[in-house]
Structures are given as C-alpha cells and as structure tokens.
C-alpha cells in the first residue's frame, strides 16, 4: 500500500495517543495544558514525543503513525486553538 | 425487501462549512442530498441499512473488525458541537447478524460503539422526520488489511438476499468516497479522472466490474472507502446508477448516487458472482 499501511505494533502507543487527541476531549485538554505530561501518560518514547511536539506529519508517519490519525489529531487541536469558523455559509 | 439504494459522500466540510470551501459547490451537494431525502420520504422505508467505514472512532487498534453490525437499541456520535442520536432497527440488525453468520460471514456485532461521522454527515441532510430506524453496517476501510473488494461484494450479495427475504421495507445507503487522501501529500490532488471513469461504469450498469479491483488500486486512487459502495453493489446487482451529482472540491470527489430498483419481495438475488480480477 502506498498511502495507508498496516500500523506496526511498535507504533501502538503513538497511535493510541493520536487516537486520544482525536476522540477524547479530556485528554486533548490535558495535552493542551501540559503536552509532555500527557505524552508521559501515554508512555510515548522520546523520539515519538519529539515528533509529536514538533507536529511533523512525515516524521510521525515514518514512525508508524496512521496518516488519518495524524490528520485528525492535528485538526481537532487546531479547532480548539484557533476557534475555526464553522458554518461560514 | 430492498426498496432503494443510494451512495452519499460524507465529507465533513459539507457539514462544517469552513471558509476553506467553495460555497456554491457545497450547496450543490446539499441540493443532491435534498433529492435523496425526498426519495426516502417517498420510499417510506421501515429501516435504513447504512454501510459506512468507521474512521478509527468506534474501532481502534484494540480490535479491528473487517465487517460489523450495530445491534443496540440506538446509536450516537459527536463531532465538535454536532451531536446525533438515532434509533436502531434492532430486529433487523439482529437478523442480519444471524443470517450473515449462517452464510459464513464472521461478523462482529456491537451494542455500544459510537457512531462515526461517516454515518451522520449524510444522515444530517437526508434523514426524514421522524427518524427512520437505522441498521449501521461497518466495513473496515482505514486500517489495513481491509476486506477485499471481492469479499465486500459477496457480503453485499448476501445482504441483498437476506433483505429480500424480509418483510421490512429497507433502503441501503453506502457512505463515503470518492477520491480523497486525508493525512497525506495527496490531500489537495485527488484522482478525479478515476472517479469519473467509475461513475461512467456504474451509470452503464457495469457495477460488477468494480468488485474485481484490487486493494492496491483503491489505495492508489484514494478510494479505499469505495468498499462501502462495492458492498452495496453486491446487493443491487447490475442496476444502472443515476448520478445526482459529482462535485470535485480541492480535496474530495463528492458524489451522490441512486440506483433505482425494481422491487422484488423474496428470493432477491442482487448480483452474480464477482469477476476474479479487474482494473478501472
């Protein structure tokens, strides 16, 4: 597969963290307050945590993150940080 | 009995309407959704069996079902400020699980999984009032290895036969597609030509050919979600598609399609056997 590959078990914690950022409002709130503490809660290793803090999609995907989870975790964080205008028309 | 069949895009921007979108394009898709709603009102279904691919919302890596049926009393989901709750047609949902397992499909069932936006974006625009009970049917599209297109088609054939033997008036609705590549470098460059070739094929009643495409082809074309359409095609057979709209946005091929059906009440045989291999 070119775009969506099997998520390797080595990336389970990273994908679990991205899933929580996407779907768990309470976790996303903790992440926004203290990202490092939230990532420790998810037992991310230093390299995963660094890539997530930098928001580097390609680095995250290279480490086994699912592209859709990266996309949606980023979107949900931006929706809260930037107060994205919905129902613009 | 199967009384109607539709496919609808579920692009979240159609619901959220951020300023990144082309207003007129979005409103044209809304108009196509409104046609579906009017058709649903005319068809008076007892249930809508909706085939959608969960976006890693109900099913995470703790368990990844290829095919699943929601069999609770109701289903609910949220996205930002949007909140949805629909009744489930529990007797029909349970019958589909039981008859599907009897036919050799090792279905997962759930009584409490959250509803993903793949379900409620189309329903936001098309659900008649009062709500028609749903039977949400999950097909894994995002977590490889997904079920093969051929397997989806076979499950759709079984669905058509099972629904044809039931007394309830049921509409099938496939959610998803067409080409898009969320989370990748291709997000702003979908394969619109692939979509158009496919719609031509479906309009000509050559649906069966889609069952023979490979997983790799769907992935390359940004059309992994077409597994939901392929499942529906197994049920509707070679009925010709009526394309209500195809609206290519900067990130997504938005299609709304109906397959007008000649209603048969029993022994419905939706489709013949899928081909062994094909490419579009």
């Amino acid at each position: 597969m070119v775009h969506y590959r099997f998520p390797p078990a080595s990336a389970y914690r990273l994908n679990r963290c991205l899933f929580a950022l996407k779907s768990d409002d309470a976790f996303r709130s903790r992440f926004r307050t203290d990202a490092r503490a939230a990532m420790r809660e998810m037992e991310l290793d230093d390299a995963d945590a660094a890539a997530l803090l930098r928001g580097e999609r390609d680095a995250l995907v290279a480490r086994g993150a699912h592209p859709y989870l990266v996309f949606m975790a980023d979107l949900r964080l931006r929706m809260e940080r930037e107060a994205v205008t919905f129902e613009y028309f | 009995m199967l009384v109607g069949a539709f496919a609808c895009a579920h692009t979240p921007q159609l619901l959220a309407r951020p300023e990144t979108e082309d207003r007129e394009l979005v409103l044209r898709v809304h108009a196509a959704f409104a046609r579906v709603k009017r058709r649903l009102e005319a068809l008076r279904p007892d249930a809508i069996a909706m085939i959608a691919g969960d976006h890693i919302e109900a099913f995470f890596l703790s368990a990844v079902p290829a095919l699943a049926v929601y069999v609770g009393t109701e289903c609910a989901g949220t996205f930002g400020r949007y909140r949805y709750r629909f009744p489930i047609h529990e007797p029909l949902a349970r019958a589909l699980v039981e008859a599907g397992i009897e036919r050799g499909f090792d279905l997962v069932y759930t009584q409490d999984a959250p509803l993903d936006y793949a379900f409620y974006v189309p329903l936001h625009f098309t659900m008649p009032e009062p709500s028609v009970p749903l039977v949400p049917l999950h097909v894994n599209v995002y977590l490889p290895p997904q079920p093969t297109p051929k397997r989806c088609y076979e499950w759709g054939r079984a669905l058509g036969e099972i629904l044809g033997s039931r007394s309830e008036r049921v509409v099938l609705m496939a959610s998803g597609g067409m080409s898009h590549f969320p989370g990748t470098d291709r997000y702003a460059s979908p394969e619109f030509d692939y979509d158009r070739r496919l719609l031509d094929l479906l309009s000509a009643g050559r649906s069966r050919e889609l069952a023979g495409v490979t997983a790799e082809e769907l992935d390359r074309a940004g059309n992994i979600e077409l597994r939901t359409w392929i499942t529906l095609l197994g049920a509707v057979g070679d009925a010709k598609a009526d394309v209500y709209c195809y609206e290519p946005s900067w990130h997504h091929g938005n299609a709304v399609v109906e397959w007008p059906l000649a209603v048969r009440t029993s022994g419905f045989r939706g489709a013949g056997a899928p081909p062994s291999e094909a490419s579009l």
Side-chain angles (χ1 to χ4, degrees), chain B residues 253-272:
Chain B
N254 295 287
V256 179
V257 178
E258 177 179 4
W259 286 264
L261 301 181
V263 175
R264 284 164 277 190
T265 54
S266 65
F268 184 86
R269 298 217 168 260

Side-chain angles (χ1 to χ4, degrees), chain A residues 1-7 11-12 15-17 19 22-23 25 57-58 61 66-72 75-76 79 84-89, chain B residues 15-19 21 23 26 55-57 60-61 79-82 117 142-145 180-187 215-216 219-220 224:
Chain A
M1 297 301 153
V2 178
H3 299 105
Y4 303 101
R5 300 187 181 92
F6 181 84
Y12 176 73
N15 278 315
R16 185 177 59 177
C17 184
F19 172 67
K22 172 178 85 71
S23 298
D25 293 345
R57 185 196 67 192
D58 292 348
V61 171
H66 192 287
Y68 179 78
L69 289 176
V70 177
F71 177 75
M72 285 303 293
L75 175 64
R76 296 307 302 272
M79 280 168 63
V84 176
T85 304
F86 275 176
E87 297 171 359
Y88 184 69
F89 48 86
Chain B
L15 175 63
R17 288 161 279 157
E19 53 191 326
E21 304 305 301
R23 178 180 186 275
V26 169
H55 289 66
I56 320 179
E57 181 72 14
F60 179 59
L61 296 170
F79 183 77
R81 76 176 193 82
Y82 301 103
Y117 72 78
Y142 270 104
L143 288 170
H180 62 304
F181 297 92
T184 78
D185 287 336
R186 294 289 311 274
Y187 188 57
E216 287 78 10
D219 182 75
R220 277 199 310 274
I224 56 177

Side-chain angles (χ1 to χ4, degrees), chain B residues 151-194:
Chain B
R151 182 63 166 168
C152 294
Y153 194 81
E154 289 168 346
W155 170 225
R157 282 179 76 192
L159 276 173
E161 290 173 7
I162 297 164
L163 294 175
S165 70
R166 301 279 303 182
S167 60
E168 298 95 344
R169 298 173 58 82
V170 182
V171 163
L172 266 182
M173 185 183 289
S175 170
M178 295 175 81
S179 183
H180 62 304
F181 297 92
T184 78
D185 287 336
R186 294 289 311 274
Y187 188 57
S189 53
E191 292 275 359
F192 297 134
D193 288 343
Y194 185 95

Side-chain angles (χ1 to χ4, degrees), chain B residues 22-251:
Chain B
D22 176 340
R23 178 180 186 275
E24 296 307 315
L25 181 151
V26 169
L27 294 181
R28 286 195 295 273
V29 182
H30 287 185
F33 281 151
R35 276 185 74 186
V36 173
K37 183 173 182 175
R38 288 194 296 275
R39 286 284 292 140
L40 289 176
E41 288 164 350
L43 288 167
R44 295 175 292 102
D46 299 310
I48 298 171
M50 189 158 187
I51 309 160
D54 177 69
H55 289 66
I56 320 179
E57 181 72 14
F59 305 110
F60 179 59
L61 296 170
S62 44
V64 182
L67 304 168
V69 183
Y70 291 58
V71 296
T73 54
E74 62 176 16
C75 49
T78 66
F79 183 77
R81 76 176 193 82
Y82 301 103
R83 283 165 168 52
Y84 297 90
R85 185 174 295 276
F86 298 102
I88 289 179
H89 197 302
E90 190 181 352
L92 183 61
R94 182 173 164 186
L96 288 181
V97 173
E98 291 172 344
I101 295 237
E102 195 64 34
R103 287 162 182 258
F105 294 89
D106 299 320
L107 303 168
V108 163
Y109 66 87
T110 173
Q111 296 184 342
D112 72 350
L115 204 64
D116 182 77
Y117 72 78
F119 291 98
Y120 56 69
V121 168
L123 294 172
H124 176 94
F125 297 97
T126 62
M127 180 62 94
E129 296 101 19
S131 282
V132 176
L134 278 186
V135 178
L137 302 166
H138 161 74
V139 175
N140 174 28
V141 298
Y142 270 104
L143 288 170
Q146 304 96 326
T148 62
K150 181 168 180 282
R151 182 63 166 168
C152 294
Y153 194 81
E154 289 168 346
W155 170 225
R157 282 179 76 192
L159 276 173
E161 290 173 7
I162 297 164
L163 294 175
S165 70
R166 301 279 303 182
S167 60
E168 298 95 344
R169 298 173 58 82
V170 182
V171 163
L172 266 182
M173 185 183 289
S175 170
M178 295 175 81
S179 183
H180 62 304
F181 297 92
T184 78
D185 287 336
R186 294 289 311 274
Y187 188 57
S189 53
E191 292 275 359
F192 297 134
D193 288 343
Y194 185 95
D195 288 354
R196 292 189 176 101
R197 283 199 301 278
L198 174 59
L199 289 172
D200 285 345
L201 207 65
L202 298 181
S203 299
R206 294 165 57 193
S207 305
R208 203 176 305 184
E209 294 173 35
L210 188 54
V213 302
T214 63
E216 287 78 10
E217 178 172 329
L218 293 180
D219 182 75
R220 277 199 310 274
N223 267 317
I224 56 177
E225 290 182 351
L226 286 187
R227 286 174 174 81
T228 65
W229 290 40
I230 294 168
T231 305
L232 177 142
L233 293 171
V236 305
D238 295 330
K240 292 183 178 178
D242 179 0
V243 179
Y244 285 12
C245 80
Y246 179 70
E247 294 289 349
S249 77
W250 65 271
H251 52 77

